[in-house]
Amino acid sequence: MRRAIRSRSVRTFAATQFLLEVQFWFPIWLIYLLDLGFSLATAVLADAVFRIVSVACELPMGVLADRIGRKRAYLLMCGLTTVTFAAITFITSTPVLFAAWIVWGILWALTSGASAPYLYEICEREGTGIDPARAFGFVRATGNFAVVCSLLAAGYLYEADHRLPFAVTAGLGALALLLAFTLPGVPVHAGTRLSSVLGGIRGEIGVPAVRRAIWLGALLLLIGWSARILFQPLALDAGLSAQMTGWMYAAFAVATVLGSAVSGLVSHRHRRFAVVVAFASLPLTLLGTALAPELAPFGFLPVMGFGYALGTTAIEILTNEVTSRPVRGAIFGATAAFAGIGIAFARPGLGLIWEGHSAAYAAGWWALAGLVGLAVALPIALRDGPSARKRSSSTPDRPTH
């Protein structure tokens, strides 16, 4: 990892990700809308629109990232971050609310295919022997550390001014945009015609190693991200104060920092084992939460965060290794889209179970889903397959941005 940290490009990318990964909005967005005078029904409907837009745009945004080039896509992501959160500070009516949430959904979809392929190709282009796994571990740990800092600070910013968390996020996005201009360009490999891009995606999905990466990524995202809907209900059922709830989220985020860092240290030989560990950690911690919910906030949830970050970082590296450059963004977008369809049903369903019973009861049911995911993922993760496909030499480069 030391060599990756010494790379100016990797350090700059990590600093940019730190500015983009802040989540001041996460603990307070619903409270913010309610304080603005919107009903809970309107806020929930806006969240549903956000989910629909993000799922619908995942693949198109991945294709866009491939066609316009990694750096341009990354700059667009930084710019949209600034625009989105600045717009949220100016919400005064329902149409403005929904417009901001639609743009936010587009930004969310673009993030899937803009970041990971760019970092991987920066490492390939460095020519200094940088192991992408080390770079990913460092960058993802840095980004998750930003989450820790922002979660701890969100409540204080909100108390100072209700719009401040979103304004600060927009300001940091603008700084990230300026910093991203200093990142190196990488060759644009996507075809100029949309038909050739779609043909490339179909061909890529026909490769067994790519299909396995998509399955693993979508399953882990579905199980791990859906489980987060239970965090706040667990805190409410346990009677935790707002401050203790903030510390609960912070403990989870700290664990994701450690999980990302450890994933960067895992050798290629043991990466599949790390993926299995990640899948196993989810149902086990959910089952523990169901049986002993009082231990969940500062026991089971941090373990879940560690496993989830370990797995997602490892699968990001794996997906880059087995996917050809011209369609990497699209494959990441397809993975997120498949997961998003399941998440759109799973999260409301878990919320309804909580309302009818308890968060622990819902965690128990989702543990069963996690066991099914583990049973599906285990043979996929352990199956032998090509570790990487070096196709860049067969694809002519176009000018970089």
Side-chain angles (χ1 to χ4, degrees), residues 326-364:
V327 293
R328 275 180 181 151
I331 293 302
F332 274 100
T335 300
F338 290 143
I341 294 171
I343 291 170
F345 291 96
R347 284 170 67 92
L350 290 171
L352 290 174
I353 295 174
W354 167 57
E355 276 191 323
H357 298 276
S358 68
Y361 186 81

Side-chain angles (χ1 to χ4, degrees), residues 44 93 202 215 219:
V44 171
S93 63
R202 287 194 297 269
W215 269 108
L219 272 173

Side-chain angles (χ1 to χ4, degrees), residues 18-32:
F18 182 90
L19 297 171
L20 292 172
E21 292 284 353
V22 294
Q23 294 184 11
F24 296 108
W25 55 269
F26 184 63
I28 51 86
W29 72 268
L30 181 58
I31 299 172
Y32 174 67

Side-chain angles (χ1 to χ4, degrees), residues 298-391:
F298 299 99
F300 297 122
L301 296 190
V303 175
M304 181 192 297
F306 178 89
Y308 181 72
L310 176 73
T312 51
T313 306
I315 293 172
E316 277 186 340
I317 299 165
L318 172 66
T319 304
N320 275 296
E321 286 178 342
V322 302
T323 307
S324 62
R325 287 184 179 182
V327 293
R328 275 180 181 151
I331 293 302
F332 274 100
T335 300
F338 290 143
I341 294 171
I343 291 170
F345 291 96
R347 284 170 67 92
L350 290 171
L352 290 174
I353 295 174
W354 167 57
E355 276 191 323
H357 298 276
S358 68
Y361 186 81
W365 278 105
W366 198 237
L368 294 179
L371 289 173
V372 173
L374 175 61
V376 173
L378 191 60
I380 298 175
L382 297 180
R383 190 175 303 164
D384 289 330
S387 60
R389 293 156 63 194
K390 303 296 183 182
R391 304 183 188 179

Side-chain angles (χ1 to χ4, degrees), residues 112-159:
S112 300
S115 176
Y118 188 25
L119 175 58
Y120 191 85
E121 291 175 26
I122 285 176
C123 294
E124 285 186 323
R125 192 170 172 78
E126 283 279 316
T128 56
I130 294 176
D131 183 353
R134 303 294 188 264
F136 268 80
F138 171 60
V139 170
R140 293 300 177 237
T142 302
N144 286 328
F145 181 67
V147 175
V148 176
C149 297
S150 55
L151 288 177
L152 290 175
Y156 297 101
L157 290 176
Y158 193 75
E159 286 180 3

Side-chain angles (χ1 to χ4, degrees), residues 1-375:
M1 186 172 289
R2 187 177 302 172
R3 180 173 290 178
I5 296 174
R6 287 175 178 171
S7 165
R8 179 183 177 276
S9 298
V10 173
R11 290 199 310 271
T12 303
F13 197 97
T16 308
Q17 283 296 115
F18 182 90
L19 297 171
L20 292 172
E21 292 284 353
V22 294
Q23 294 184 11
F24 296 108
W25 55 269
F26 184 63
I28 51 86
W29 72 268
L30 181 58
I31 299 172
Y32 174 67
L33 294 183
L34 296 177
D35 285 344
L36 288 179
F38 294 102
S39 67
L40 180 60
T42 300
V44 171
L45 182 58
D47 183 65
V49 169
F50 165 83
R51 298 291 169 190
I52 293 170
V53 170
S54 61
V55 171
C57 291
E58 287 286 0
L59 185 57
M61 288 296 103
V63 172
L64 177 67
D66 289 328
R67 297 192 71 191
I68 67 176
R70 304 296 175 219
K71 185 171 182 178
R72 288 189 181 94
Y74 198 71
L75 291 171
L76 177 60
M77 185 179 72
C78 296
L80 275 179
T81 299
T82 304
V83 171
T84 298
F85 289 98
I88 292 175
T89 65
F90 290 100
I91 291 176
T92 55
S93 63
T94 301
V96 177
L97 164 63
F98 280 92
W101 256 240
I102 288 171
V103 176
W104 199 353
I106 295 171
L107 167 62
W108 192 275
L110 178 61
T111 302
S112 300
S115 176
Y118 188 25
L119 175 58
Y120 191 85
E121 291 175 26
I122 285 176
C123 294
E124 285 186 323
R125 192 170 172 78
E126 283 279 316
T128 56
I130 294 176
D131 183 353
R134 303 294 188 264
F136 268 80
F138 171 60
V139 170
R140 293 300 177 237
T142 302
N144 286 328
F145 181 67
V147 175
V148 176
C149 297
S150 55
L151 288 177
L152 290 175
Y156 297 101
L157 290 176
Y158 193 75
E159 286 180 3
D161 188 288
H162 290 354
R163 301 180 191 272
L164 195 55
F166 305 98
V168 171
T169 303
L172 294 178
L175 288 177
L177 177 62
L178 295 176
L179 193 57
F181 274 108
T182 68
L183 288 169
V186 294
V188 179
H189 295 275
T192 55
R193 293 211 234 156
L194 182 59
S195 58
S196 66
V197 175
L198 296 178
I201 295 171
R202 287 194 297 269
E204 201 69 14
I205 294 177
V207 177
V210 176
R211 287 203 304 273
R212 290 198 289 270
I214 292 174
W215 269 108
L216 290 173
L219 272 173
L220 191 62
L221 185 59
L222 167 61
I223 299 168
W225 187 259
S226 297
R228 296 192 188 194
I229 195 68
L230 297 175
F231 286 13
Q232 200 157 344
L234 280 166
L236 292 172
D237 288 353
L240 297 184
S241 65
Q243 291 80 4
M244 290 299 293
T245 302
W247 280 105
M248 178 190 77
Y249 277 103
F252 179 87
V254 168
T256 64
V257 174
L258 297 175
S260 298
V262 169
S263 184
L265 298 175
V266 173
S267 66
H268 173 78
R269 181 180 175 184
H270 297 102
R271 194 168 298 142
R272 289 181 295 176
F273 177 71
V275 173
V276 172
V277 169
F279 271 98
S281 70
L282 297 178
L284 290 177
T285 52
L286 285 165
L287 183 60
T289 297
L291 296 175
E294 67 278 3
L295 299 179
F298 299 99
F300 297 122
L301 296 190
V303 175
M304 181 192 297
F306 178 89
Y308 181 72
L310 176 73
T312 51
T313 306
I315 293 172
E316 277 186 340
I317 299 165
L318 172 66
T319 304
N320 275 296
E321 286 178 342
V322 302
T323 307
S324 62
R325 287 184 179 182
V327 293
R328 275 180 181 151
I331 293 302
F332 274 100
T335 300
F338 290 143
I341 294 171
I343 291 170
F345 291 96
R347 284 170 67 92
L350 290 171
L352 290 174
I353 295 174
W354 167 57
E355 276 191 323
H357 298 276
S358 68
Y361 186 81
W365 278 105
W366 198 237
L368 294 179
L371 289 173
V372 173
L374 175 61

